[in-house]
Amino acid sequence: MRHTRIRAASITSTLLVAVGLTAQTALAQQAPAVVVAPAAIMDLRESVDLTGKVTAIQRVDVRARVSGFLEAVNFTEGQKVTAGTVLYQVEDGAYRAAVQEIEGQIEAAEAAKELAILERDRAEQLLTTKTISQAKVDEAHAEVRKAEGDLVRLKGSKDNAELNLSYTKIVAPFDGIIGLTSADVGALVGPDSGPLVTLTRLDPIYVQFPVATALYLTYRERVLKGEISGGANVGLGLPNGTEYKQKGTINFIASNVSQGTDTVTVRAEFPNPDSILLDGALVRVMLEQSDKQEVLAVPQQAIQRDQQGAFVLVVDASSKVELRRVDVTRNTRGRAVIGKGLKEGENVITEGAGKVRPGITVDAATAAGG
């Protein structure tokens, strides 16, 4: 009986040890797996996204300034043209003839002037010998002045005729992209014909966007207090979701508020050498502080909230979870900027927070890139 009791006690002890080991193994296996990322100091400049509209710096409707039939259309619709390029050629025969006619009249007027001067000089000589009266001399002087006036008038007419002749070549007033023509060779055009084609300058180009008055005033106050710099980097998000490579410069801020929208109009200028930005397109304007802003931040998904406010779950060196209250000052680029509550290097749970609670041990893995 005694040996039986000893064996039973031994078996019981062995079972307890086995159960204990099994429980420890189970506890170890049950430690939930989580992903953590360290709180890090990084350059997270304040930024804001707004909706803007692309506006061409120059855009004109090209019109005919004299009447006539079109002899030539010297462009391909949609092509780039340079300033001074002849876009249309109007028949110029009548205008050239008008110039030549006036040139002939000028030659005759110059001859008449020379004759009037000779007659005046002769009259003055005859006056010294009392051969003619003073009235005749005065008439000779008047004829000279009349001849001079006729010459001035004709030269003005010539300038006008030459100007009309020059208008038979309809040229591009600046570099730009030509639109669709409304007139073909042989068409009769003139000042009343309306626009022949539209020329648009796309490089550089403007982007105009409204800023809420409250946001603008807050920005101005912070600049005056020295909390942020007055400079800003200006980027663009294109309609297809890509980011425009060129950066812009703000060159205009309106001095009035739009009453309908309670916004201030701001304009930026962008290089556009490849004509990627098109007149009238809607884009996403990304304004960012130009100076560095080194702040403590964690991935935004690490932030949780309850009735008391924001908190994170911190995993310490012994892999235990701790609930930590934090002050989140802002969110940007997928990061939450921490005002207080965390120190650089502390690990916060970014994945798996729903299956843990404060005080338990977890199996933590660092997030990729963390």
Side-chain angles (χ1 to χ4, degrees):
M1 290 294 292
R2 183 180 180 183
H3 291 293
T4 301
R5 290 173 183 169
I6 292 172
R7 285 198 299 272
S10 177
I11 292 171
T12 300
S13 177
T14 301
L15 287 173
L16 289 173
V17 171
V19 170
L21 291 173
T22 302
Q24 291 178 3
T25 303
L27 287 172
Q29 292 175 346
Q30 290 173 2
V34 296
V35 177
V36 298
I41 299 292
M42 58 184 63
D43 178 16
L44 287 179
R45 309 175 195 194
E46 293 190 50
S47 61
V48 63
D49 287 1
L50 303 164
T51 299
K53 184 177 182 180
V54 180
T55 305
I57 288 181
Q58 290 177 293
R59 187 176 188 274
V60 298
D61 292 331
V62 178
R63 300 171 182 264
R65 302 182 69 171
V66 293
S67 298
F69 291 96
L70 285 183
E71 283 188 337
V73 177
N74 300 320
F75 61 85
T76 301
E77 295 169 324
Q79 80 175 87
K80 290 183 178 181
V81 296
T82 57
T85 298
V86 178
L87 304 177
Y88 298 95
Q89 176 65 58
V90 178
E91 285 184 343
D92 62 1
Y95 297 98
R96 289 186 181 280
V99 172
Q100 291 174 350
E101 181 180 355
I102 295 174
E103 287 176 343
Q105 293 174 356
I106 289 174
E107 289 183 5
E110 287 175 342
K113 177 184 174 182
E114 291 176 1
L115 179 60
I117 291 173
L118 290 174
E119 292 292 341
R120 179 200 62 191
D121 294 343
R122 186 179 297 111
E124 288 178 344
Q125 290 176 356
L126 292 173
L127 181 63
T128 60
T129 61
K130 309 274 186 200
T131 306
I132 61 173
S133 66
Q134 181 65 46
K136 292 293 185 180
V137 175
D138 293 340
E139 288 178 4
H141 278 279
E143 287 296 324
V144 172
R145 289 194 296 272
K146 180 179 180 298
E148 291 174 341
D150 289 342
L151 196 56
V152 170
R153 176 178 57 80
L154 288 171
K155 286 182 177 179
S157 297
K158 180 185 177 184
D159 290 342
N160 186 60
E162 288 177 336
L163 188 61
N164 286 335
L165 176 60
S166 70
Y167 288 156
T168 60
K169 296 182 185 296
I170 303 175
V171 302
F174 52 80
D175 297 352
I177 295 179
I178 204 74
L180 299 174
T181 181
S182 64
D184 295 321
V185 173
L188 177 63
V189 299
D192 299 328
S193 301
L196 300 179
V197 73
T198 299
L199 180 65
T200 306
R201 182 183 177 189
L202 294 181
D203 184 30
I205 201 163
Y206 291 148
V207 174
Q208 188 170 300
F209 52 95
V211 177
T213 305
L215 179 62
Y216 175 72
L217 291 177
T218 300
Y219 162 77
R220 294 294 302 165
E221 288 174 358
R222 296 187 65 192
V223 170
L224 292 174
K225 291 178 181 178
E227 296 178 1
I228 58 175
S229 68
N233 297 324
V234 190
L236 291 180
L238 301 178
N240 63 357
T242 61
E243 186 171 338
Y244 187 57
K245 295 180 180 180
Q246 303 277 3
K247 296 298 181 182
T249 303
I250 293 176
N251 65 0
F252 171 79
I253 300 176
S255 58
N256 65 297
V257 174
S258 174
Q259 298 301 316
T261 58
D262 193 27
T263 58
V264 177
T265 299
V266 181
R267 189 182 69 193
E269 182 178 313
F270 287 82
N272 191 30
D274 299 321
S275 301
I276 293 175
L277 300 177
L278 300 177
D279 184 33
L282 294 179
V283 292
R284 180 167 55 93
V285 181
M286 300 172 288
L287 296 180
E288 178 189 68
Q289 279 290 302
S290 57
D291 293 343
K292 284 187 177 181
Q293 287 183 292
E294 300 287 349
V295 294
L296 182 67
V298 297
Q300 198 168 330
Q301 63 265 33
I303 304 298
Q304 301 185 62
R305 296 183 184 276
D306 59 17
Q307 293 181 346
Q308 298 180 47
F311 67 91
V312 293
L313 296 177
V314 178
V315 178
D316 62 19
S318 60
S319 297
K320 286 187 177 181
V321 177
E322 174 192 350
L323 186 148
R324 189 81 61 79
R325 295 288 171 184
V326 293
D327 179 18
V328 179
T329 60
R330 59 187 172 91
N331 295 309
T332 181
R333 303 181 206 166
R335 297 276 177 170
V337 178
I338 305 300
K340 60 181 179 179
L342 279 177
K343 295 180 181 179
E344 183 181 5
E346 290 188 302
N347 287 316
V348 297
I349 296 177
T350 58
E351 295 181 32
K355 55 186 177 182
V356 302
R357 65 181 184 277
I360 72 169
T361 300
V362 295
D363 180 14
T366 304

